[in-house]
Amino acid sequence: MPRVLPPLAVALTCLVGASACDDARGPGLDEYAVALDLPPTTTDKIDVLFVIDNSGSMRDNLSEVAEQAKTALVDVLSYALGTPDLHLGVITSDMGALGTPSNGCGGLGDAGALMNRPRYLGQGSQPTCAGLADDARFLVDRTDADGAHATNYDGELVDALGCMVSQGGDGCGFEQPFAAIAAAIDPDHPINADFLRDDAILAVVLLTDEDDCSAADPALYGDDPGLGPKDSFRCFQYAVACDGDDPDPGVAGAPGPRSGCELRPEPRYHTPVQALVDQLVARKGGDPSRIIVASFDGGVGPVVVDTYPAGDGTDTTWLTLAPSCGAPNTAPGGAPRTAAPALRLAALRDAFPGRAWSESICGDLGAGLERTAEVVADVAGARPCLRGALRDADATTPGIQPTCRAVAVHSLDGGELTTAVPACAGDAATGCFALVADADACPGSDSGLRVELRGVAVDDAHLVVSCLPPALAAP
């Protein structure tokens, strides 16, 4: 199997090494962000893995997640692809505490098992969703070669999925979505067999109001008083370092706003994010372009450390993270929805440039899931739509005029061959790429632009387009 570099690395290789795409007068290379990684072939096979935070803090979010997930993702995929061949599975963030009893986190939690039945607070085990057999751990929805619609459930797909994402809210408070994903995609998992297909795209959709706290060392979840109270702040403290922090993660510092926050390069307890990245890529035969990651979370900031009373009858206070976002809950009687910063989730997305994005879990979940489905449809259907916000190079002209570069990436035994594709200089230009306004072909795109190749073929190659994002100052 050829070694395939991540799309951004491929683009950078060309941009640095090929004179056709090296312009010393233009913006610096590190300013560009991948806006499109177009695969050479289409597929109708999509494996969607929902990762649901089922901790107590998510109780007021889960009802909305279940309701919105019922329609948005399924409807958009069906519209965009016609008859997609879907596997849809649901896992939770509950991995216990590495077998150490801690704050109700007993055993190994759900251990990455695909969930085929709902759970509701205080009601115990429920029947399987939509008539699924006990050993059917995920939903199958496809059209057979003879045109017949084949499923493994009763009723409508949207209702079956809505049932499966209803996972209560009594899971372990140390959310471990990364460990759950790693367990779920392990080829030796005892009950998740056949969910992942070698020739399918894998879309991982995470919904959580706190950051990942997957640890290789169970001490992070234990009773060591030096780690402070057994809550999620220790997960942040030992994973993240901000400007002015003590180099020793055991020194938490004072409450207040933080800036310049980044993941610690060698975390004391946490499993490195790269470990999950490597496992995901390996499960797709070494091809990261067959992986999509979307996360609904609290974003990367603002990061503010607050305090709360210890509750021991003294004036002692403990540190906690203030919410980075908040919104009213539309569910009857639901408390306001809030979420904390999630820098480890951001690092996972960063590992799949052009294939990953985030949505606020405090925002419109339905609209976010629709955008998620549109990008999945882009990849599966090889739709050449630019995604993400782009810098407008000419504010006086209607629409967006981004600054972009393109390369064709051919996989070879032992590496890649990258070829620059120049931008067209006019409507009649050939041997180049052009950006065309086409909102109908690119629903949900911020720019409504698609890439059109004129007089140039990139057969059996990825087309990687990188553009300047708007957050950067003009050169």
Side-chain angles (χ1 to χ4, degrees), residues 208-211 297-302 321-325 338-343 361-362:
T208 178
D209 64 356
E210 295 191 66
D211 204 356
D297 55 48
V300 296
L321 277 181
S324 53
C325 71
T338 62
L343 280 78
I361 199 166
C362 300

Side-chain angles (χ1 to χ4, degrees), residues 12-368:
L12 296 188
T13 300
C14 169
L15 292 174
V16 170
S19 60
C21 54
D22 181 15
D23 183 357
R25 297 167 300 171
L29 178 61
D30 58 351
E31 296 185 29
Y32 283 80
V34 174
L36 171 68
D37 180 359
L38 190 68
T41 59
T42 63
T43 181
D44 60 355
K45 294 183 178 180
I46 307 170
D47 301 334
V48 184
L49 181 65
F50 282 91
V51 188
I52 305 294
D53 176 355
N54 68 330
S55 66
S57 63
M58 273 286 287
R59 289 172 187 167
D60 292 305
N61 277 329
L62 286 175
S63 60
E64 290 205 10
V65 169
E67 183 62 30
Q68 300 290 357
K70 284 171 58 176
T71 56
L73 190 76
V74 173
D75 284 356
V76 171
L77 286 178
S78 297
Y79 171 78
L81 299 178
T83 55
D85 182 349
L86 295 174
H87 283 187
L88 289 96
V90 174
I91 62 174
T92 78
S93 61
D94 187 352
M95 293 292 289
L98 292 180
T100 301
S102 178
N103 286 13
C105 302
L108 298 176
D110 292 326
L114 292 166
M115 312 305 293
N116 65 355
R117 62 188 71 225
R119 288 186 294 203
Y120 305 105
L121 286 174
Q123 296 186 24
S125 180
Q126 303 292 313
T128 58
C129 293
L132 284 172
D134 284 339
D135 60 350
R137 309 299 300 196
F138 55 91
L139 300 174
V140 175
D141 193 289
R142 67 174 183 270
T143 299
D144 287 339
D146 59 3
H149 188 207
T151 68
N152 67 339
Y153 58 89
D154 298 331
E156 298 295 326
L157 177 58
V158 292
D159 295 321
L161 178 60
C163 172
M164 290 172 63
V165 301
S166 300
Q167 291 300 318
D170 55 359
C172 179
F174 290 117
E175 292 92 334
Q176 300 166 65
F178 289 4
I181 295 169
I185 66 174
D186 188 326
D188 295 325
H189 196 292
I191 63 175
N192 290 356
D194 302 324
F195 172 68
L196 290 184
R197 295 167 290 180
D198 291 341
D199 55 349
I201 289 171
L202 170 61
V204 180
V205 183
L206 301 101
L207 300 106
T208 178
D209 64 356
E210 295 191 66
D211 204 356
D212 173 73
C213 191
S214 301
D217 188 340
L220 184 64
Y221 313 126
D223 296 323
D224 183 352
L227 298 181
K230 288 195 290 186
D231 61 24
S232 296
F233 186 76
R234 62 170 61 173
C235 300
F236 167 81
Q237 177 181 347
Y238 285 89
V240 176
C242 304
D243 291 344
D245 281 355
D246 192 290
D248 183 357
V251 180
R258 300 286 199 268
S259 62
C261 298
E262 297 181 351
L263 295 186
R264 297 182 183 275
E266 297 181 1
R268 182 179 300 179
Y269 300 108
H270 292 72
T271 303
V273 177
Q274 189 63 40
L276 177 59
V277 173
D278 293 343
Q279 186 178 357
L280 285 166
V281 173
R283 290 293 278 133
K284 289 288 97 181
D287 186 355
S289 71
R290 301 186 70 80
I291 299 166
I292 297 170
V293 177
S295 64
F296 292 71
D297 55 48
V300 296
V303 179
V304 179
V305 176
D306 204 348
T307 61
Y308 70 96
D312 58 0
T314 70
D315 293 334
T316 302
T317 59
W318 297 113
L319 297 178
T320 186
L321 277 181
S324 53
C325 71
N329 196 324
T330 60
R337 294 187 290 131
T338 62
L343 280 78
R344 279 173 60 84
L345 267 68
L348 177 65
R349 296 192 305 270
D350 289 346
F352 299 98
R355 289 280 196 261
W357 64 100
S358 64
E359 302 280 352
S360 173
I361 199 166
C362 300
D364 184 339
L365 297 178

Side-chain angles (χ1 to χ4, degrees), residues 126 347 410 412 433:
Q126 303 292 313
H410 299 264
L412 304 173
F433 79 93

